[in-house]
PDB file of all heavy atoms in Angstrom:
ATOM      1  N   PHE A 336     173.598 -66.474 -78.384  1.00  0.00           N
ATOM      2  CA  PHE A 336     172.446 -65.788 -77.814  1.00  0.00           C
ATOM      3  C   PHE A 336     172.662 -65.365 -76.367  1.00  0.00           C
ATOM      4  O   PHE A 336     171.737 -64.905 -75.702  1.00  0.00           O
ATOM      5  CB  PHE A 336     171.186 -66.647 -77.944  1.00  0.00           C
ATOM      6  CG  PHE A 336     170.617 -66.629 -79.326  1.00  0.00           C
ATOM      7  CD1 PHE A 336     170.384 -67.809 -80.006  1.00  0.00           C
ATOM      8  CD2 PHE A 336     170.330 -65.435 -79.956  1.00  0.00           C
ATOM      9  CE1 PHE A 336     169.869 -67.792 -81.292  1.00  0.00           C
ATOM     10  CE2 PHE A 336     169.816 -65.408 -81.240  1.00  0.00           C
ATOM     11  CZ  PHE A 336     169.577 -66.590 -81.908  1.00  0.00           C
ATOM     12  N   ARG A 337     173.889 -65.510 -75.892  1.00  0.00           N
ATOM     13  CA  ARG A 337     174.231 -64.896 -74.620  1.00  0.00           C
ATOM     14  C   ARG A 337     174.410 -63.398 -74.783  1.00  0.00           C
ATOM     15  O   ARG A 337     174.459 -62.662 -73.795  1.00  0.00           O
ATOM     16  CB  ARG A 337     175.512 -65.526 -74.063  1.00  0.00           C
ATOM     17  CG  ARG A 337     175.379 -67.015 -73.755  1.00  0.00           C
ATOM     18  CD  ARG A 337     176.698 -67.575 -73.268  1.00  0.00           C
ATOM     19  NE  ARG A 337     176.595 -69.012 -73.046  1.00  0.00           N
ATOM     20  CZ  ARG A 337     176.193 -69.582 -71.921  1.00  0.00           C
ATOM     21  NH1 ARG A 337     175.840 -68.816 -70.895  1.00  0.00           N
ATOM     22  NH2 ARG A 337     176.133 -70.889 -71.796  1.00  0.00           N
ATOM     23  N   VAL A 338     174.552 -62.962 -76.042  1.00  0.00           N
ATOM     24  CA  VAL A 338     174.689 -61.538 -76.344  1.00  0.00           C
ATOM     25  C   VAL A 338     173.593 -61.146 -77.333  1.00  0.00           C
ATOM     26  O   VAL A 338     172.897 -61.982 -77.880  1.00  0.00           O
ATOM     27  CB  VAL A 338     176.077 -61.212 -76.934  1.00  0.00           C
ATOM     28  CG1 VAL A 338     177.156 -61.475 -75.906  1.00  0.00           C
ATOM     29  CG2 VAL A 338     176.338 -62.035 -78.193  1.00  0.00           C
ATOM     30  N   ARG A 339     173.424 -59.860 -77.551  1.00  0.00           N
ATOM     31  CA  ARG A 339     172.387 -59.366 -78.454  1.00  0.00           C
ATOM     32  C   ARG A 339     172.959 -58.260 -79.334  1.00  0.00           C
ATOM     33  O   ARG A 339     174.090 -57.814 -79.162  1.00  0.00           O
ATOM     34  CB  ARG A 339     171.191 -58.809 -77.657  1.00  0.00           C
ATOM     35  CG  ARG A 339     170.461 -59.818 -76.802  1.00  0.00           C
ATOM     36  CD  ARG A 339     169.626 -60.771 -77.652  1.00  0.00           C
ATOM     37  NE  ARG A 339     168.771 -61.582 -76.813  1.00  0.00           N
ATOM     38  CZ  ARG A 339     169.143 -62.713 -76.237  1.00  0.00           C
ATOM     39  NH1 ARG A 339     170.365 -63.162 -76.415  1.00  0.00           N
ATOM     40  NH2 ARG A 339     168.302 -63.393 -75.483  1.00  0.00           N
ATOM     41  N   GLY A 340     172.134 -57.801 -80.261  1.00  0.00           N
ATOM     42  CA  GLY A 340     172.467 -56.640 -81.072  1.00  0.00           C
ATOM     43  C   GLY A 340     173.690 -56.830 -81.929  1.00  0.00           C
ATOM     44  O   GLY A 340     173.873 -57.853 -82.594  1.00  0.00           O
ATOM     45  N   ALA A 341     174.573 -55.812 -81.906  1.00  0.00           N
ATOM     46  CA  ALA A 341     175.749 -55.811 -82.779  1.00  0.00           C
ATOM     47  C   ALA A 341     176.685 -56.968 -82.464  1.00  0.00           C
ATOM     48  O   ALA A 341     177.357 -57.492 -83.363  1.00  0.00           O
ATOM     49  CB  ALA A 341     176.499 -54.490 -82.645  1.00  0.00           C
ATOM     50  N   TYR A 342     176.734 -57.417 -81.209  1.00  0.00           N
ATOM     51  CA  TYR A 342     177.623 -58.511 -80.845  1.00  0.00           C
ATOM     52  C   TYR A 342     177.188 -59.815 -81.524  1.00  0.00           C
ATOM     53  O   TYR A 342     178.015 -60.598 -81.984  1.00  0.00           O
ATOM     54  CB  TYR A 342     177.642 -58.690 -79.322  1.00  0.00           C
ATOM     55  CG  TYR A 342     178.117 -57.460 -78.588  1.00  0.00           C
ATOM     56  CD1 TYR A 342     177.217 -56.612 -77.957  1.00  0.00           C
ATOM     57  CD2 TYR A 342     179.468 -57.135 -78.539  1.00  0.00           C
ATOM     58  CE1 TYR A 342     177.643 -55.478 -77.295  1.00  0.00           C
ATOM     59  CE2 TYR A 342     179.914 -56.010 -77.880  1.00  0.00           C
ATOM     60  CZ  TYR A 342     178.997 -55.176 -77.265  1.00  0.00           C
ATOM     61  OH  TYR A 342     179.427 -54.045 -76.616  1.00  0.00           O
ATOM     62  N   PHE A 343     175.884 -60.029 -81.583  1.00  0.00           N
ATOM     63  CA  PHE A 343     175.380 -61.228 -82.258  1.00  0.00           C
ATOM     64  C   PHE A 343     175.695 -61.177 -83.746  1.00  0.00           C
ATOM     65  O   PHE A 343     176.084 -62.185 -84.347  1.00  0.00           O
ATOM     66  CB  PHE A 343     173.870 -61.349 -82.044  1.00  0.00           C
ATOM     67  CG  PHE A 343     173.235 -62.497 -82.777  1.00  0.00           C
ATOM     68  CD1 PHE A 343     173.369 -63.793 -82.320  1.00  0.00           C
ATOM     69  CD2 PHE A 343     172.515 -62.282 -83.955  1.00  0.00           C
ATOM     70  CE1 PHE A 343     172.800 -64.857 -83.001  1.00  0.00           C
ATOM     71  CE2 PHE A 343     171.943 -63.331 -84.640  1.00  0.00           C
ATOM     72  CZ  PHE A 343     172.091 -64.632 -84.163  1.00  0.00           C
ATOM     73  N   VAL A 344     175.534 -60.013 -84.353  1.00  0.00           N
ATOM     74  CA  VAL A 344     175.843 -59.850 -85.781  1.00  0.00           C
ATOM     75  C   VAL A 344     177.309 -60.164 -86.049  1.00  0.00           C
ATOM     76  O   VAL A 344     177.655 -60.869 -87.002  1.00  0.00           O
ATOM     77  CB  VAL A 344     175.500 -58.422 -86.244  1.00  0.00           C
ATOM     78  CG1 VAL A 344     175.949 -58.208 -87.686  1.00  0.00           C
ATOM     79  CG2 VAL A 344     174.017 -58.159 -86.111  1.00  0.00           C
ATOM     80  N   ILE A 345     178.207 -59.653 -85.198  1.00  0.00           N
ATOM     81  CA  ILE A 345     179.646 -59.886 -85.370  1.00  0.00           C
ATOM     82  C   ILE A 345     179.968 -61.370 -85.249  1.00  0.00           C
ATOM     83  O   ILE A 345     180.764 -61.916 -86.023  1.00  0.00           O
ATOM     84  CB  ILE A 345     180.437 -59.057 -84.340  1.00  0.00           C
ATOM     85  CG1 ILE A 345     180.304 -57.564 -84.659  1.00  0.00           C
ATOM     86  CG2 ILE A 345     181.911 -59.476 -84.337  1.00  0.00           C
ATOM     87  CD1 ILE A 345     180.899 -56.665 -83.609  1.00  0.00           C
ATOM     88  N   ILE A 346     179.354 -62.045 -84.277  1.00  0.00           N
ATOM     89  CA  ILE A 346     179.609 -63.471 -84.091  1.00  0.00           C
ATOM     90  C   ILE A 346     179.200 -64.264 -85.328  1.00  0.00           C
ATOM     91  O   ILE A 346     179.924 -65.160 -85.779  1.00  0.00           O
ATOM     92  CB  ILE A 346     178.871 -63.985 -82.838  1.00  0.00           C
ATOM     93  CG1 ILE A 346     179.539 -63.441 -81.574  1.00  0.00           C
ATOM     94  CG2 ILE A 346     178.869 -65.515 -82.798  1.00  0.00           C
ATOM     95  CD1 ILE A 346     178.814 -63.783 -80.300  1.00  0.00           C
ATOM     96  N   THR A 347     178.043 -63.950 -85.904  1.00  0.00           N
ATOM     97  CA  THR A 347     177.583 -64.704 -87.071  1.00  0.00           C
ATOM     98  C   THR A 347     178.472 -64.449 -88.286  1.00  0.00           C
ATOM     99  O   THR A 347     178.751 -65.373 -89.058  1.00  0.00           O
ATOM    100  CB  THR A 347     176.125 -64.343 -87.406  1.00  0.00           C
ATOM    101  OG1 THR A 347     176.012 -62.915 -87.604  1.00  0.00           O
ATOM    102  CG2 THR A 347     175.195 -64.740 -86.265  1.00  0.00           C
ATOM    103  N   ILE A 348     178.930 -63.203 -88.451  1.00  0.00           N
ATOM    104  CA  ILE A 348     179.836 -62.904 -89.559  1.00  0.00           C
ATOM    105  C   ILE A 348     181.144 -63.677 -89.400  1.00  0.00           C
ATOM    106  O   ILE A 348     181.660 -64.278 -90.351  1.00  0.00           O
ATOM    107  CB  ILE A 348     180.107 -61.388 -89.653  1.00  0.00           C
ATOM    108  CG1 ILE A 348     178.833 -60.635 -90.047  1.00  0.00           C
ATOM    109  CG2 ILE A 348     181.211 -61.098 -90.667  1.00  0.00           C
ATOM    110  CD1 ILE A 348     178.997 -59.130 -90.053  1.00  0.00           C
ATOM    111  N   CYS A 349     181.696 -63.656 -88.184  1.00  0.00           N
ATOM    112  CA  CYS A 349     182.953 -64.370 -87.924  1.00  0.00           C
ATOM    113  C   CYS A 349     182.788 -65.875 -88.147  1.00  0.00           C
ATOM    114  O   CYS A 349     183.703 -66.538 -88.653  1.00  0.00           O
ATOM    115  CB  CYS A 349     183.420 -64.090 -86.507  1.00  0.00           C
ATOM    116  SG  CYS A 349     183.936 -62.378 -86.208  1.00  0.00           S
ATOM    117  N   PHE A 350     181.645 -66.409 -87.758  1.00  0.00           N
ATOM    118  CA  PHE A 350     181.384 -67.835 -87.940  1.00  0.00           C
ATOM    119  C   PHE A 350     181.461 -68.210 -89.419  1.00  0.00           C
ATOM    120  O   PHE A 350     182.089 -69.210 -89.797  1.00  0.00           O
ATOM    121  CB  PHE A 350     180.008 -68.166 -87.374  1.00  0.00           C
ATOM    122  CG  PHE A 350     179.596 -69.598 -87.549  1.00  0.00           C
ATOM    123  CD1 PHE A 350     180.354 -70.620 -87.012  1.00  0.00           C
ATOM    124  CD2 PHE A 350     178.430 -69.922 -88.239  1.00  0.00           C
ATOM    125  CE1 PHE A 350     179.975 -71.955 -87.168  1.00  0.00           C
ATOM    126  CE2 PHE A 350     178.034 -71.236 -88.401  1.00  0.00           C
ATOM    127  CZ  PHE A 350     178.816 -72.251 -87.862  1.00  0.00           C
ATOM    128  N   ALA A 351     180.848 -67.399 -90.275  1.00  0.00           N
ATOM    129  CA  ALA A 351     180.882 -67.674 -91.711  1.00  0.00           C
ATOM    130  C   ALA A 351     182.291 -67.543 -92.271  1.00  0.00           C
ATOM    131  O   ALA A 351     182.722 -68.361 -93.104  1.00  0.00           O
ATOM    132  CB  ALA A 351     179.925 -66.732 -92.450  1.00  0.00           C
ATOM    133  N   GLN A 352     183.040 -66.544 -91.818  1.00  0.00           N
ATOM    134  CA  GLN A 352     184.390 -66.340 -92.339  1.00  0.00           C
ATOM    135  C   GLN A 352     185.336 -67.450 -91.888  1.00  0.00           C
ATOM    136  O   GLN A 352     186.206 -67.878 -92.645  1.00  0.00           O
ATOM    137  CB  GLN A 352     184.915 -64.977 -91.889  1.00  0.00           C
ATOM    138  CG  GLN A 352     184.225 -63.807 -92.559  1.00  0.00           C
ATOM    139  CD  GLN A 352     184.282 -63.879 -94.073  1.00  0.00           C
ATOM    140  OE1 GLN A 352     185.352 -64.089 -94.653  1.00  0.00           O
ATOM    141  NE2 GLN A 352     183.153 -63.713 -94.726  1.00  0.00           N
ATOM    142  N   VAL A 353     185.175 -67.922 -90.648  1.00  0.00           N
ATOM    143  CA  VAL A 353     186.002 -69.025 -90.165  1.00  0.00           C
ATOM    144  C   VAL A 353     185.758 -70.280 -90.997  1.00  0.00           C
ATOM    145  O   VAL A 353     186.695 -70.993 -91.389  1.00  0.00           O
ATOM    146  CB  VAL A 353     185.721 -69.298 -88.676  1.00  0.00           C
ATOM    147  CG1 VAL A 353     186.316 -70.641 -88.251  1.00  0.00           C
ATOM    148  CG2 VAL A 353     186.295 -68.180 -87.819  1.00  0.00           C
ATOM    149  N   LEU A 354     184.485 -70.564 -91.304  1.00  0.00           N
ATOM    150  CA  LEU A 354     184.180 -71.741 -92.126  1.00  0.00           C
ATOM    151  C   LEU A 354     184.738 -71.591 -93.533  1.00  0.00           C
ATOM    152  O   LEU A 354     185.227 -72.568 -94.124  1.00  0.00           O
ATOM    153  CB  LEU A 354     182.669 -71.947 -92.178  1.00  0.00           C
ATOM    154  CG  LEU A 354     182.016 -72.464 -90.901  1.00  0.00           C
ATOM    155  CD1 LEU A 354     180.508 -72.567 -91.081  1.00  0.00           C
ATOM    156  CD2 LEU A 354     182.592 -73.820 -90.504  1.00  0.00           C
ATOM    157  N   ARG A 355     184.701 -70.390 -94.071  1.00  0.00           N
ATOM    158  CA  ARG A 355     185.250 -70.174 -95.409  1.00  0.00           C
ATOM    159  C   ARG A 355     186.757 -70.411 -95.418  1.00  0.00           C
ATOM    160  O   ARG A 355     187.296 -71.072 -96.324  1.00  0.00           O
ATOM    161  CB  ARG A 355     184.937 -68.760 -95.886  1.00  0.00           C
ATOM    162  CG  ARG A 355     185.459 -68.466 -97.297  1.00  0.00           C
ATOM    163  CD  ARG A 355     185.013 -67.115 -97.807  1.00  0.00           C
ATOM    164  NE  ARG A 355     185.502 -66.909 -99.157  1.00  0.00           N
ATOM    165  CZ  ARG A 355     186.694 -66.393 -99.463  1.00  0.00           C
ATOM    166  NH1 ARG A 355     187.508 -66.006 -98.488  1.00  0.00           N
ATOM    167  NH2 ARG A 355     187.073 -66.242-100.707  1.00  0.00           N
ATOM    168  N   LEU A 356     187.458 -69.883 -94.407  1.00  0.00           N
ATOM    169  CA  LEU A 356     188.909 -70.100 -94.330  1.00  0.00           C
ATOM    170  C   LEU A 356     189.234 -71.572 -94.095  1.00  0.00           C
ATOM    171  O   LEU A 356     190.224 -72.096 -94.621  1.00  0.00           O
ATOM    172  CB  LEU A 356     189.503 -69.238 -93.219  1.00  0.00           C
ATOM    173  CG  LEU A 356     189.487 -67.723 -93.464  1.00  0.00           C
ATOM    174  CD1 LEU A 356     189.979 -66.979 -92.234  1.00  0.00           C
ATOM    175  CD2 LEU A 356     190.333 -67.367 -94.679  1.00  0.00           C
ATOM    176  N   LEU A 357     188.400 -72.250 -93.317  1.00  0.00           N
ATOM    177  CA  LEU A 357     188.622 -73.670 -93.046  1.00  0.00           C
ATOM    178  C   LEU A 357     188.501 -74.491 -94.325  1.00  0.00           C
ATOM    179  O   LEU A 357     189.347 -75.341 -94.624  1.00  0.00           O
ATOM    180  CB  LEU A 357     187.618 -74.153 -92.006  1.00  0.00           C
ATOM    181  CG  LEU A 357     187.759 -75.613 -91.549  1.00  0.00           C
ATOM    182  CD1 LEU A 357     189.084 -75.821 -90.833  1.00  0.00           C
ATOM    183  CD2 LEU A 357     186.591 -75.997 -90.640  1.00  0.00           C
ATOM    184  N   THR A 358     187.443 -74.241 -95.089  1.00  0.00           N
ATOM    185  CA  THR A 358     187.263 -74.994 -96.335  1.00  0.00           C
ATOM    186  C   THR A 358     188.311 -74.608 -97.382  1.00  0.00           C
ATOM    187  O   THR A 358     188.658 -75.414 -98.243  1.00  0.00           O
ATOM    188  CB  THR A 358     185.864 -74.756 -96.914  1.00  0.00           C
ATOM    189  OG1 THR A 358     185.642 -73.335 -97.073  1.00  0.00           O
ATOM    190  CG2 THR A 358     184.791 -75.305 -95.989  1.00  0.00           C
ATOM    191  N   LEU A 359     188.813 -73.386 -97.292  1.00  0.00           N
ATOM    192  CA  LEU A 359     189.826 -72.942 -98.246  1.00  0.00           C
ATOM    193  C   LEU A 359     191.183 -73.596 -97.985  1.00  0.00           C
ATOM    194  O   LEU A 359     191.937 -73.893 -98.918  1.00  0.00           O
ATOM    195  CB  LEU A 359     189.958 -71.418 -98.185  1.00  0.00           C
ATOM    196  CG  LEU A 359     190.893 -70.753 -99.200  1.00  0.00           C
ATOM    197  CD1 LEU A 359     190.387 -70.957-100.621  1.00  0.00           C
ATOM    198  CD2 LEU A 359     191.036 -69.274 -98.893  1.00  0.00           C
ATOM    199  N   ASN A 360     191.481 -73.870 -96.713  1.00  0.00           N
ATOM    200  CA  ASN A 360     192.815 -74.362 -96.355  1.00  0.00           C
ATOM    201  C   ASN A 360     192.866 -75.853 -96.025  1.00  0.00           C
ATOM    202  O   ASN A 360     193.949 -76.441 -96.040  1.00  0.00           O
ATOM    203  CB  ASN A 360     193.345 -73.569 -95.155  1.00  0.00           C
ATOM    204  CG  ASN A 360     193.640 -72.122 -95.500  1.00  0.00           C
ATOM    205  OD1 ASN A 360     194.647 -71.810 -96.115  1.00  0.00           O
ATOM    206  ND2 ASN A 360     192.735 -71.234 -95.119  1.00  0.00           N
ATOM    207  N   TRP A 361     191.740 -76.474 -95.726  1.00  0.00           N
ATOM    208  CA  TRP A 361     191.745 -77.911 -95.430  1.00  0.00           C
ATOM    209  C   TRP A 361     191.632 -78.673 -96.752  1.00  0.00           C
ATOM    210  O   TRP A 361     190.608 -79.276 -97.071  1.00  0.00           O
ATOM    211  CB  TRP A 361     190.598 -78.265 -94.494  1.00  0.00           C
ATOM    212  CG  TRP A 361     190.777 -79.583 -93.813  1.00  0.00           C
ATOM    213  CD1 TRP A 361     191.744 -80.510 -94.034  1.00  0.00           C
ATOM    214  CD2 TRP A 361     189.947 -80.133 -92.785  1.00  0.00           C
ATOM    215  NE1 TRP A 361     191.586 -81.600 -93.214  1.00  0.00           N
ATOM    216  CE2 TRP A 361     190.485 -81.393 -92.429  1.00  0.00           C
ATOM    217  CE3 TRP A 361     188.805 -79.686 -92.125  1.00  0.00           C
ATOM    218  CZ2 TRP A 361     189.915 -82.205 -91.470  1.00  0.00           C
ATOM    219  CZ3 TRP A 361     188.238 -80.492 -91.159  1.00  0.00           C
ATOM    220  CH2 TRP A 361     188.789 -81.735 -90.824  1.00  0.00           C
ATOM    221  N   VAL A 362     192.710 -78.660 -97.506  1.00  0.00           N
ATOM    222  CA  VAL A 362     192.709 -79.174 -98.867  1.00  0.00           C
ATOM    223  C   VAL A 362     192.450 -80.684 -98.890  1.00  0.00           C
ATOM    224  O   VAL A 362     191.790 -81.206 -99.797  1.00  0.00           O
ATOM    225  CB  VAL A 362     194.036 -78.836 -99.565  1.00  0.00           C
ATOM    226  CG1 VAL A 362     194.073 -79.419-100.974  1.00  0.00           C
ATOM    227  CG2 VAL A 362     194.244 -77.336 -99.601  1.00  0.00           C
ATOM    228  N   GLU A 363     192.947 -81.400 -97.896  1.00  0.00           N
ATOM    229  CA  GLU A 363     192.782 -82.856 -97.882  1.00  0.00           C
ATOM    230  C   GLU A 363     191.304 -83.257 -97.838  1.00  0.00           C
ATOM    231  O   GLU A 363     190.909 -84.261 -98.438  1.00  0.00           O
ATOM    232  CB  GLU A 363     193.493 -83.454 -96.669  1.00  0.00           C
ATOM    233  CG  GLU A 363     193.454 -84.986 -96.649  1.00  0.00           C
ATOM    234  CD  GLU A 363     194.121 -85.567 -95.415  1.00  0.00           C
ATOM    235  OE1 GLU A 363     194.383 -84.808 -94.455  1.00  0.00           O
ATOM    236  OE2 GLU A 363     194.389 -86.786 -95.410  1.00  0.00           O
ATOM    237  N   LEU A 364     190.474 -82.435 -97.181  1.00  0.00           N
ATOM    238  CA  LEU A 364     189.053 -82.759 -97.067  1.00  0.00           C
ATOM    239  C   LEU A 364     188.217 -82.077 -98.142  1.00  0.00           C
ATOM    240  O   LEU A 364     187.374 -82.716 -98.775  1.00  0.00           O
ATOM    241  CB  LEU A 364     188.536 -82.353 -95.688  1.00  0.00           C
ATOM    242  CG  LEU A 364     187.036 -82.564 -95.431  1.00  0.00           C
ATOM    243  CD1 LEU A 364     186.698 -84.059 -95.467  1.00  0.00           C
ATOM    244  CD2 LEU A 364     186.622 -81.951 -94.099  1.00  0.00           C
ATOM    245  N   THR A 365     188.448 -80.790 -98.357  1.00  0.00           N
ATOM    246  CA  THR A 365     187.550 -79.993 -99.209  1.00  0.00           C
ATOM    247  C   THR A 365     188.126 -79.681-100.581  1.00  0.00           C
ATOM    248  O   THR A 365     187.442 -79.044-101.387  1.00  0.00           O
ATOM    249  CB  THR A 365     187.221 -78.667 -98.508  1.00  0.00           C
ATOM    250  OG1 THR A 365     188.424 -77.876 -98.395  1.00  0.00           O
ATOM    251  CG2 THR A 365     186.649 -78.904 -97.119  1.00  0.00           C
ATOM    252  N   GLN A 366     189.380 -80.067-100.851  1.00  0.00           N
ATOM    253  CA  GLN A 366     190.084 -79.727-102.100  1.00  0.00           C
ATOM    254  C   GLN A 366     190.401 -78.236-102.197  1.00  0.00           C
ATOM    255  O   GLN A 366     190.880 -77.770-103.225  1.00  0.00           O
ATOM    256  CB  GLN A 366     189.275 -80.150-103.339  1.00  0.00           C
ATOM    257  CG  GLN A 366     188.949 -81.628-103.396  1.00  0.00           C
ATOM    258  CD  GLN A 366     190.182 -82.515-103.419  1.00  0.00           C
ATOM    259  OE1 GLN A 366     191.132 -82.224-104.140  1.00  0.00           O
ATOM    260  NE2 GLN A 366     190.178 -83.568-102.621  1.00  0.00           N
ATOM    261  N   GLY A 367     190.110 -77.494-101.151  1.00  0.00           N
ATOM    262  CA  GLY A 367     190.455 -76.080-101.104  1.00  0.00           C
ATOM    263  C   GLY A 367     189.908 -75.289-102.270  1.00  0.00           C
ATOM    264  O   GLY A 367     188.754 -75.478-102.689  1.00  0.00           O
ATOM    265  N   PRO A 368     190.722 -74.398-102.862  1.00  0.00           N
ATOM    266  CA  PRO A 368     190.252 -73.582-103.992  1.00  0.00           C
ATOM    267  C   PRO A 368     189.989 -74.394-105.258  1.00  0.00           C
ATOM    268  O   PRO A 368     189.374 -73.884-106.203  1.00  0.00           O
ATOM    269  CB  PRO A 368     191.392 -72.581-104.201  1.00  0.00           C
ATOM    270  CG  PRO A 368     192.596 -73.254-103.626  1.00  0.00           C
ATOM    271  CD  PRO A 368     192.101 -74.067-102.474  1.00  0.00           C
ATOM    272  N   MET A 369     190.451 -75.636-105.298  1.00  0.00           N
ATOM    273  CA  MET A 369     190.204 -76.478-106.475  1.00  0.00           C
ATOM    274  C   MET A 369     188.769 -76.989-106.515  1.00  0.00           C
ATOM    275  O   MET A 369     188.322 -77.502-107.541  1.00  0.00           O
ATOM    276  CB  MET A 369     191.182 -77.651-106.498  1.00  0.00           C
ATOM    277  CG  MET A 369     192.623 -77.235-106.672  1.00  0.00           C
ATOM    278  SD  MET A 369     193.757 -78.635-106.713  1.00  0.00           S
ATOM    279  CE  MET A 369     193.660 -79.199-105.002  1.00  0.00           C
ATOM    280  N   ALA A 370     188.060 -76.899-105.419  1.00  0.00           N
ATOM    281  CA  ALA A 370     186.631 -77.210-105.327  1.00  0.00           C
ATOM    282  C   ALA A 370     186.358 -78.714-105.350  1.00  0.00           C
ATOM    283  O   ALA A 370     187.156 -79.516-105.839  1.00  0.00           O
ATOM    284  CB  ALA A 370     185.839 -76.526-106.441  1.00  0.00           C
ATOM    285  N   LEU A 371     185.209 -79.058-104.805  1.00  0.00           N
ATOM    286  CA  LEU A 371     184.696 -80.422-104.893  1.00  0.00           C
ATOM    287  C   LEU A 371     183.876 -80.533-106.167  1.00  0.00           C
ATOM    288  O   LEU A 371     182.888 -79.809-106.339  1.00  0.00           O
ATOM    289  CB  LEU A 371     183.820 -80.743-103.676  1.00  0.00           C
ATOM    290  CG  LEU A 371     184.517 -80.912-102.323  1.00  0.00           C
ATOM    291  CD1 LEU A 371     183.477 -81.023-101.213  1.00  0.00           C
ATOM    292  CD2 LEU A 371     185.420 -82.131-102.325  1.00  0.00           C
ATOM    293  N   SER A 372     184.261 -81.403-107.054  1.00  0.00           N
ATOM    294  CA  SER A 372     183.563 -81.543-108.335  1.00  0.00           C
ATOM    295  C   SER A 372     183.024 -82.961-108.476  1.00  0.00           C
ATOM    296  O   SER A 372     183.345 -83.847-107.688  1.00  0.00           O
ATOM    297  CB  SER A 372     184.493 -81.198-109.493  1.00  0.00           C
ATOM    298  OG  SER A 372     185.630 -82.046-109.483  1.00  0.00           O
ATOM    299  N   GLY A 373     182.224 -83.161-109.498  1.00  0.00           N
ATOM    300  CA  GLY A 373     181.651 -84.476-109.745  1.00  0.00           C
ATOM    301  C   GLY A 373     180.600 -84.886-108.738  1.00  0.00           C
ATOM    302  O   GLY A 373     180.363 -86.081-108.530  1.00  0.00           O
ATOM    303  N   ILE A 374     179.969 -83.916-108.108  1.00  0.00           N
ATOM    304  CA  ILE A 374     178.921 -84.222-107.120  1.00  0.00           C
ATOM    305  C   ILE A 374     177.726 -84.826-107.865  1.00  0.00           C
ATOM    306  O   ILE A 374     177.241 -84.253-108.845  1.00  0.00           O
ATOM    307  CB  ILE A 374     178.489 -82.944-106.381  1.00  0.00           C
ATOM    308  CG1 ILE A 374     179.701 -82.314-105.677  1.00  0.00           C
ATOM    309  CG2 ILE A 374     177.391 -83.245-105.364  1.00  0.00           C
ATOM    310  CD1 ILE A 374     179.432 -80.947-105.108  1.00  0.00           C
ATOM    311  N   PRO A 375     177.235 -85.975-107.432  1.00  0.00           N
ATOM    312  CA  PRO A 375     176.121 -86.604-108.165  1.00  0.00           C
ATOM    313  C   PRO A 375     174.826 -85.809-108.024  1.00  0.00           C
ATOM    314  O   PRO A 375     174.601 -85.138-107.017  1.00  0.00           O
ATOM    315  CB  PRO A 375     176.002 -87.984-107.497  1.00  0.00           C
ATOM    316  CG  PRO A 375     176.598 -87.809-106.149  1.00  0.00           C
ATOM    317  CD  PRO A 375     177.685 -86.792-106.295  1.00  0.00           C
ATOM    318  N   ALA A 376     174.006 -85.896-109.052  1.00  0.00           N
ATOM    319  CA  ALA A 376     172.695 -85.237-109.009  1.00  0.00           C
ATOM    320  C   ALA A 376     171.749 -86.021-108.113  1.00  0.00           C
ATOM    321  O   ALA A 376     171.909 -87.235-107.925  1.00  0.00           O
ATOM    322  CB  ALA A 376     172.120 -85.132-110.423  1.00  0.00           C
ATOM    323  N   LEU A 377     170.795 -85.331-107.544  1.00  0.00           N
ATOM    324  CA  LEU A 377     169.762 -86.009-106.768  1.00  0.00           C
ATOM    325  C   LEU A 377     168.925 -86.892-107.686  1.00  0.00           C
ATOM    326  O   LEU A 377     168.789 -86.607-108.886  1.00  0.00           O
ATOM    327  CB  LEU A 377     168.875 -84.986-106.054  1.00  0.00           C
ATOM    328  CG  LEU A 377     169.543 -84.223-104.903  1.00  0.00           C
ATOM    329  CD1 LEU A 377     168.658 -83.078-104.439  1.00  0.00           C
ATOM    330  CD2 LEU A 377     169.842 -85.155-103.740  1.00  0.00           C
TER     331      LEU A 377
END
């Protein structure tokens, strides 16, 4: 929020893409493309 308009939009898009790449490549934590399975139901 130090910036406005198109700059804020770009920052939010980049934030989502960075998290996607992080979860895709940090296999030890997130299992990467193999996904986290067996999540218990509420």
Side-chain angles (χ1 to χ4, degrees):
F336 283 126
R337 297 178 183 273
V338 295
R339 297 287 189 274
Y342 300 102
F343 176 76
V344 174
I345 292 173
I346 289 175
T347 56
I348 293 175
C349 292
F350 178 59
Q352 290 305 311
V353 166
L354 288 178
R355 181 174 182 273
L356 292 174
L357 183 64
T358 55
L359 185 64
N360 292 283
W361 198 353
V362 178
E363 184 182 14
L364 177 65
T365 66
Q366 302 300 316
M369 295 181 291
L371 289 172
S372 59
I374 301 171
L377 290 170

